[in-house]
Amino acid sequence: MESRAGVSKQDIREQIWDYMESQNIADFPRPVHHRIPNFKGSYLACQSIKDLGVFARTQEVKVDPDKPLEGVRLLALQGVRDYSVPVGLDARVLVDLVVVGSVAVSEKGWRIGKGEGYADLEYAMMASMGAVSQGTPVVTIVHDCQVVDIPEALLEDHDLTVDYILTPTRVIATGCERPKPTGITWSKISCAMMGRIPVLRSLRSREKQAGRDVALQDEHPPLGARSQHAAPPGAVRRPGGPAQPEAGSPRGEDVPSDTVYVGNLPRDTRVSELKRALRERGAAPLRLTWQGPQHSAFLHFQDPAAAQQALSCLQGLHLGATTLKVALARQQRASGLAGGHAREPHPDH
């Protein structure tokens, strides 16, 4: 297949997914849209890895869990005692070979995944740990129709490239010289991703202590964001007077440093629904004080830094079609609740 000029990564993904389905190249699970697509002949393509010298010399191999890579996982497990063993950040592991799935790949070694960035991130995490280096070969297994021209302009620094492409009919050595990621690009990581991958939090803490910039994607203020002297979130400016905060919003000196206010909760919202939304954003309060009649809640965190981190993660939080109000809570409101007048109801209530 040939990709059109001026296309985006998503255009290329959709083109390949549509083609594989329309030509009945796709295999279980279907439809292949929004997946690393499995294809008829994937097991045959996987067998070609035995012909690569880098595979014969491999002691430690990292294979992604994608369905079309199943044949490689079976080959790698032959005679292996230890597999799927959790590896800690301090483990002295050297990975000899990395096998990743792809939606599209070019003969130059440019790669496009399904769009969530996990393969790129996992490689970057291994690079941060010292488990892989620029010399560690990366292999991908795809159908011939997934080998397309990819404009180099679409590639970003955090994108993983590949050294070998295996298809049912070909073994392509890309000779790619573009540098692979040497570590995590934190500005590409969202708060939600941090919540789903606990080891990221440990890596971020280490790199922050080392003095590196670890600001997340959600923490970089957009162009035109308010200055440090602008009105706080939730403030209502009245003609001729200073900004007046709404109920539950922060106000200068009486902001509690470890508590976050969540307001505008839809009627009949359950605690379990709010907790689920918080988890998806990577926010994990020590406790939650529920204020059902006021359609609000207070999230209590371990320290001011954790509260500020949660505040960044929760901007734009919504339940259904309702956007919630999220801000640092007033100290007097938080202190009144801390006295035990409100309690967290059972999640099923």
Side-chain angles (χ1 to χ4, degrees):
M1 290 179 60
E2 295 183 1
S3 61
R4 306 182 304 276
V7 299
S8 67
K9 287 182 178 179
Q10 189 61 24
D11 290 333
I12 295 174
R13 292 184 189 106
E14 296 289 348
Q15 180 185 7
I16 288 176
W17 287 328
D18 290 345
Y19 183 84
M20 294 181 76
E21 284 291 346
S22 66
Q23 300 301 309
N24 202 28
I25 295 168
D27 206 351
F28 175 84
R30 297 178 69 172
V32 293
H33 292 75
H34 311 294
R35 306 178 191 270
I36 297 296
N38 193 20
F39 55 91
K40 294 172 181 176
S42 62
Y43 190 81
L44 175 63
C46 288
Q47 301 308 301
S48 299
I49 201 168
K50 294 186 294 186
D51 300 327
L52 296 181
V54 293
F55 183 75
R57 298 188 296 270
T58 292
Q59 295 296 316
E60 300 280 351
V61 59
K62 163 69 168 69
V63 186
D64 283 357
D66 306 308
K67 184 65 174 178
L69 308 182
E70 194 171 74
V72 171
R73 290 195 292 275
L74 292 173
L75 287 170
L77 288 173
Q78 291 181 7
V80 173
R81 288 186 178 180
D82 299 323
Y83 60 92
S84 295
V85 177
V87 176
L89 293 180
D90 297 317
R92 296 183 178 276
V93 174
L94 292 178
V95 176
D96 303 308
L97 182 67
V98 177
V99 185
V100 297
S102 303
V103 173
V105 66
S106 78
E107 293 190 13
K108 294 182 179 180
W110 312 155
R111 173 190 173 273
I112 295 176
K114 63 182 177 181
E116 295 182 351
Y118 283 109
D120 302 322
L121 177 58
E122 288 181 351
Y123 184 92
M125 290 167 63
M126 290 190 292
S128 296
M129 296 167 56
V132 295
S133 67
Q134 292 296 315
T136 304
V138 178
V139 179
T140 194
I141 291 130
V142 296
H143 190 271
D144 291 276
C145 74
Q146 294 174 256
V147 182
V148 299
D149 293 328
I150 298 175
E152 187 172 2
L154 293 181
L155 269 66
E156 300 179 71
D157 290 342
H158 68 280
D159 286 332
L160 180 61
T161 57
V162 302
D163 302 291
Y164 296 93
I165 304 168
L166 308 184
T167 79
T169 65
R170 307 166 67 190
V171 174
I172 304 169
T174 67
C176 184
E177 296 182 356
R178 183 184 178 94
K180 295 181 175 64
T182 56
I184 297 171
T185 305
W186 293 104
S187 61
K188 298 292 183 180
I189 306 299
S190 67
C191 288
M193 191 173 284
M194 287 286 291
R196 289 193 293 266
I197 308 175
V199 70
L200 270 180
R201 296 196 287 271
S202 300
L203 278 171
R204 187 179 186 227
S205 177
R206 291 188 178 198
E207 296 202 6
K208 185 175 184 179
Q209 290 177 2
R212 300 187 180 94
D213 180 6
V214 295
L216 303 181
Q217 183 183 71
D218 317 62
E219 295 176 336
H220 287 278
L223 292 175
R226 68 179 186 276
S227 71
Q228 61 182 356
H229 301 296
V236 179
R237 186 169 296 281
R238 295 174 180 169
Q244 300 296 323
E246 297 179 8
S249 296
R251 186 175 66 184
E253 69 280 2
D254 59 5
V255 174
S257 58
D258 62 354
T259 304
V260 171
Y261 165 86
V262 178
N264 199 35
L265 293 170
R267 187 180 300 274
D268 299 327
T269 298
R270 294 185 177 185
V271 178
S272 57
E273 294 172 325
L274 177 59
K275 285 184 174 181
R276 186 183 310 113
L278 296 177
R279 284 197 301 270
E280 290 174 353
R281 289 297 191 97
L286 293 177
R287 61 189 178 89
L288 182 153
T289 303
W290 184 252
Q291 291 284 283
Q294 287 77 39
H295 309 295
S296 63
F298 289 86
L299 314 179
H300 307 276
F301 292 88
Q302 182 175 2
D303 51 42
Q308 288 288 350
Q309 170 71 28
L311 191 63
S312 298
C313 293
L314 297 177
Q315 294 304 311
L317 179 66
H318 58 84
L319 286 178
T322 303
T323 300
L324 307 186
K325 296 177 182 179
V326 182
L328 290 176
R330 284 186 181 180
Q331 187 171 18
Q332 64 268 27
R333 177 72 61 86
S335 61
L337 293 171
H341 300 296
R343 64 182 181 87
E344 179 181 340
H346 191 277
D348 292 331
H349 289 177

